[in-house]
Every structure is written in structure tokens, then in C-alpha cells.
Amino acid sequence: MARRSGSGGVGLKRLLESKEPERRTAEAYRRLVRKHYDGPAGWFTTVTGVFTGHEALAGRLIGPRAFDIRGCKRILDAGCGNGRYLRILLKRADPTALLAGCDLSAAMLRRARRRLRSERPLLLAADVSHLPFKDHFFDAVVCGWVLEHLPDPVLGLRELARVLRPGGKLLLLTTERTIPGAVCSRFYHCRTIRRAELRAACAAVGLGWVRELWWSRFHKLAKLGGIVVELRRAS
Ligand SMILES: C[S@@+](CC[C@H](N)C(=O)[O-])C[C@H]1O[C@@H](n2cnc3c(N)ncnc32)[C@H](O)[C@@H]1O
């Protein structure tokens, strides 16, 4: 996922976009991201989620008519943050399903545990680029707004594909290369991703593009809200 130019507004998007992922070494960038989310920015994700609507709309993405987790026995939220999606997984997953969440930031994991008020999900500190799980372990994975924080997003996609069983499903949300996306990237010190490049990278690691999802009709019409896509690991 190179920083290649596209059409209209490209200069402005590039100008606005955070340069941190390319300015630092992989290790220094990872440290920056961890420190950022350990601190007030991590706490702030709950507040921003209220304004962006992500808190209220998250539930629309997971369910029988969207990302359907019925029948999934092992589900991972990779980069679970404060537990926004784990909260929904807890409500909608089969009662016997194993739920796990991981994050680079220990503070985010503590926030998630407090928020969930449940000991059921296994929460662990781990890097999405090097997941501590066996190949093909999960039936479903959710990965929200994490890929854009990885030093090498393709490596991250490969890792997500590795832990999914053949035919397993992935709900991936990521910051798109748009002007609002570039503005957000500044605050979160992350990159933005072009939809066509993401699609090609997913295909290259064996993740088939099932369908694009949108937060609402408004988001779909206005092409807002980032890239939200359901993927399926090749059998
Ligand atoms: C914008 S928050 C999103 C959190 C959650 N997925 C959500 O949608 O509410 C990004 C999260 O990704 C985590 N993160 C960033 N880089 C990561 C990495 N390499 N491995 C695991 N987690 C990472 C951050 O610590 C942060 O909690």
C-alpha cells in the first residue's frame, strides 16, 4: 500500500495526512502508537466515537444482516481498543463462543475490561503484526481502525489471514484516503489507505472481498466513514 497519487485533491490529502508512519523506523513508530493510546488520546476515543457516531452505529455492523457471527466458535477483536466491538460481540456471539481481544496498549486493555464489566473475553497485550495464536484458530476476526497504525499494513493483513480458518470471515475497518480521513490521521498519527490498494493487498494475502458495508445510507451516499469491508479467507 504505497503512497501513490490518485486524482482530485490528492495534494491536499497528502499535505494533511500524518507523516509519522513514514518518518520513523517500524519500532519507533510502534512505540509512538502505544504511547499515544496509553495516554489521553486513547481515553478520548470513547468521546470522539460519540461525535463521529461510531459508538452508536457500531452495532449495525455486526448482526445477521451485516457481519454475521452466528455459529462462530472463536472470535478475535484484533486491536480491540476500549472494547467498542467486543461489547457487541459479547451480546451477539453464541453463548459458548470464545471471545478474545488484543491490543498494543495496556491502558486500552484496562479501559476495555472496565467498560465490558465481564471476565468472559480473554484480553491480551499483543501486536496485530505478530499475533500469539495458532494458524487457522479463529472463525471470525474484527479489526477496527488498526491497519492504518501498522508499520507494514500488508504484513498485518497476512497475519489476520493466518489466524483465520479457511473460509473464516474478517470485518475490517480502516481510514480511507479522503480529506476527512487525512484529518483524522493527523490526530491518530496514522496513515490513510486507498480502497483499490487495500482490495489488491487483501487479494494478495488470500482475503476475498465479500462486500463493503456502510454505517448508514447517508455515509454510503456521501462516501464517508472510512473503508468497512467484510472479507473471507480463501479455503
Ligand atoms: C482507533 S483505536 C480503535 C480501537 C477499536 N478497534 C475500535 O474500533 O474502537 C486503534 C487501536 O489500535 C491499537 N493498535 C495500534 N497498533 C496496534 C498494533 N500493532 N497491534 C495491536 N493493536 C494496535 C491501539 O492501541 C488502539 O487501541
Side-chain angles (χ1 to χ4, degrees):
M1 275 174 266
R3 288 176 177 263
R4 196 160 49 76
S5 299
S7 54
V10 167
L12 184 57
K13 286 176 218 164
R14 278 295 290 132
L15 195 71
L16 290 172
E17 185 173 351
S18 169
K19 309 293 180 295
E20 294 297 351
E22 60 196 80
R23 189 180 286 159
R24 294 170 189 255
T25 63
E27 200 34 54
Y29 178 59
R30 198 177 277 115
R31 275 201 302 274
L32 171 79
V33 169
R34 185 188 292 124
K35 197 168 163 217
H36 190 61
Y37 282 97
D38 274 347
W43 173 84
F44 205 56
T45 54
T46 313
V47 180
T48 51
V50 171
F51 289 112
T52 59
H54 287 187
E55 281 296 328
L57 297 173
R60 291 190 178 198
L61 297 178
I62 300 174
R65 290 196 298 165
F67 187 70
D68 190 0
I69 51 167
R70 287 174 299 175
C72 293
K73 294 294 168 220
R74 293 169 179 169
I75 307 174
L76 171 68
D77 186 349
C80 62
N82 65 17
R84 180 180 297 156
Y85 290 98
L86 276 173
R87 190 172 54 106
I88 294 157
L89 294 173
L90 260 175
K91 283 191 202 143
R92 307 213 171 138
D94 292 357
T96 56
L98 169 87
L99 300 181
C102 70
D103 203 283
L104 199 59
S105 155
M108 288 309 268
L109 291 168
R110 283 195 296 275
R111 291 177 185 123
R113 185 64 83 198
R114 271 200 303 274
R115 177 181 192 180
L116 294 170
R117 294 205 198 109
S118 162
E119 293 302 314
R120 180 174 166 202
L122 170 73
L123 294 183
L124 67 159
D127 188 330
V128 168
S129 307
H130 307 279
L131 290 168
F133 301 106
K134 290 190 294 193
D135 295 359
H136 309 169
F137 189 72
F138 292 100
D139 300 303
V141 175
V142 175
C143 184
W145 317 109
V146 184
L147 197 69
E148 56 273 57
H149 294 87
L150 303 184
D152 180 349
V154 179
L155 189 74
L157 282 175
R158 205 180 293 285
E159 191 62 354
L160 294 170
R162 181 186 69 75
V163 299
L164 269 174
R165 70 163 169 77
K169 46 176 70 177
L170 168 63
L171 177 65
L172 183 69
L173 303 93
T174 193
T175 305
E176 188 164 18
R177 183 156 312 158
T178 57
I179 289 183
V183 173
C184 288
S185 84
R186 277 274 159 152
F187 182 70
Y188 289 109
H189 302 313
C190 64
R191 72 187 77 239
T192 63
I193 294 180
R194 296 173 78 236
R195 204 171 276 253
E197 286 184 17
L198 178 65
R199 195 173 179 139
C202 288
V205 302
L207 290 169
W209 198 270
V210 176
R211 59 176 163 162
E212 292 176 16
L213 297 164
W214 299 90
W215 302 93
S216 68
R217 271 198 205 139
F218 167 75
H219 288 86
K220 187 173 182 177
L221 275 173
K223 300 267 179 272
L224 281 175
I227 307 173
V228 185
V229 59
E230 177 173 341
L231 299 144
R232 192 171 291 268
R233 189 196 192 277
S235 300

